Amino acid sequence: MTKNSRGLILVAAATALAIGVGCAKKKVAAATPPTPAPVTAQEATRPNAAPAAQPARAATRPAPVTPVEARRTPTAAQRARIDQLLARIQDAYFDYDKHALRPDAMTTLEADSRELRDIIVQYPDYKLTIEGYCDERGSAEYNLALGDARAKAAKDYLVGVGIPTQQLLAVSYGKEHPVCDEHSETCWQKNRRVHIVAMAR
C-alpha cells in the first residue's frame, strides 16, 4: 500500500469518527428537556392558588369548671350563734281564745329576729320550727286548731321581717306540753304562747 493510500484511509477514519461523535452529541442534546418559558410580569403578580382545604377538626372545648357548691347549712360556730339568738327571743304570748299577735308579742319577735334572718337566709337547708300552744281549757281538737293559728301568725310576722317562708315550719301542740300545771289565769297565760326552735337536724 502506498503512502498516499494510507493517508486517505486515515482521513476517512477521522471523518467517520467526527461524524459519529457529532451524532451522539445531537442525540444527547435532543434528550435534554426544553428550557421553561420565562415568566411574564402579569403571571408573577398573580396570587397563588388557595391551598387544598384541610378536613375540619372538631372543636375541643375545655371541661367547664364546676364552682364549689355553696354551703346550705351553717357551720358549727354559726349554729351556736343562732341558738344564742333563739334563746334570747322570748315566747310570744296571746290573749285567751285569740291568735292575733299582741303588741308585746310583736316586740318579743322583733328582738334579735333581724340578725337571725341575716344568718339563716344564707343557708336554704336550715329551718326553724314555730310551735303554737294553748292552755288546758277547751277540747284537744279545738286547741290544736288554735295553736296552729297562733304559730302561723308568728310565722307571718317573721316572713314580714325577711325570713324565707320555706325556712319556717308552723306546728301546733294544742294544750300538750304546758310550761305550767296550775289551774289559774296566771298559769294559763304562760301556756298561751308560741315558741321558736331550730328544726331537728
Side-chain angles (χ1 to χ4, degrees):
M1 182 178 294
T2 64
K3 187 183 263 189
N4 289 336
S5 297
R6 287 179 184 171
L8 289 173
I9 290 171
L10 289 173
V11 170
T15 303
L17 181 62
I19 294 171
V21 171
C23 290
K25 286 183 179 179
K26 287 181 181 179
K27 288 180 181 178
V28 171
T32 303
T35 303
V39 178
T40 65
Q42 181 178 3
E43 290 175 338
T45 57
R46 185 181 304 165
N48 294 330
Q54 297 294 324
R57 294 184 180 180
T60 56
R61 297 181 179 178
V65 178
T66 304
V68 178
E69 185 177 356
R71 288 187 61 90
R72 297 183 65 85
T73 55
T75 63
Q78 289 166 325
R79 284 198 301 269
R81 178 57 181 159
I82 291 171
D83 291 341
Q84 289 176 354
L85 293 171
L86 290 175
R88 281 167 29 183
I89 298 177
Q90 299 178 2
D91 291 348
Y93 296 99
F94 294 82
D95 290 331
Y96 174 67
D97 205 25
K98 305 291 184 184
H99 66 271
L101 290 174
R102 301 187 320 206
D104 62 317
M106 288 188 282
T107 300
T108 295
L109 292 175
E110 172 69 18
D112 300 310
S113 63
R114 296 187 186 278
E115 184 180 352
L116 183 65
R117 170 205 62 198
D118 293 342
I119 297 175
I120 69 173
V121 293
Q122 303 175 60
Y123 308 105
D125 288 348
Y126 189 83
K127 296 177 173 59
L128 300 176
T129 300
I130 305 169
E131 302 171 341
Y133 295 91
C134 303
D135 63 38
E136 64 182 345
R137 293 170 292 180
S139 67
E141 293 78 9
Y142 178 82
N143 282 316
L144 278 174
L146 182 57
D148 183 64
R150 289 172 175 169
K152 287 180 178 176
K155 177 181 177 180
D156 290 344
Y157 180 85
L158 294 174
V159 169
V161 170
I163 298 178
T165 184
Q166 64 269 20
Q167 290 183 258
L168 297 171
L169 176 66
V171 298
S172 174
Y173 288 100
K175 57 183 178 180
E176 298 178 8
H177 311 302
V179 294
C180 182
D181 294 325
E182 297 176 9
H183 306 291
S184 64
E185 177 58 35
T186 302
C187 189
W188 292 333
Q189 174 64 84
K190 294 178 182 179
N191 291 332
R192 297 193 298 263
R193 63 194 177 98
V194 293
H195 182 67
I196 304 172
V197 296
M199 188 178 293
R201 52 185 182 274

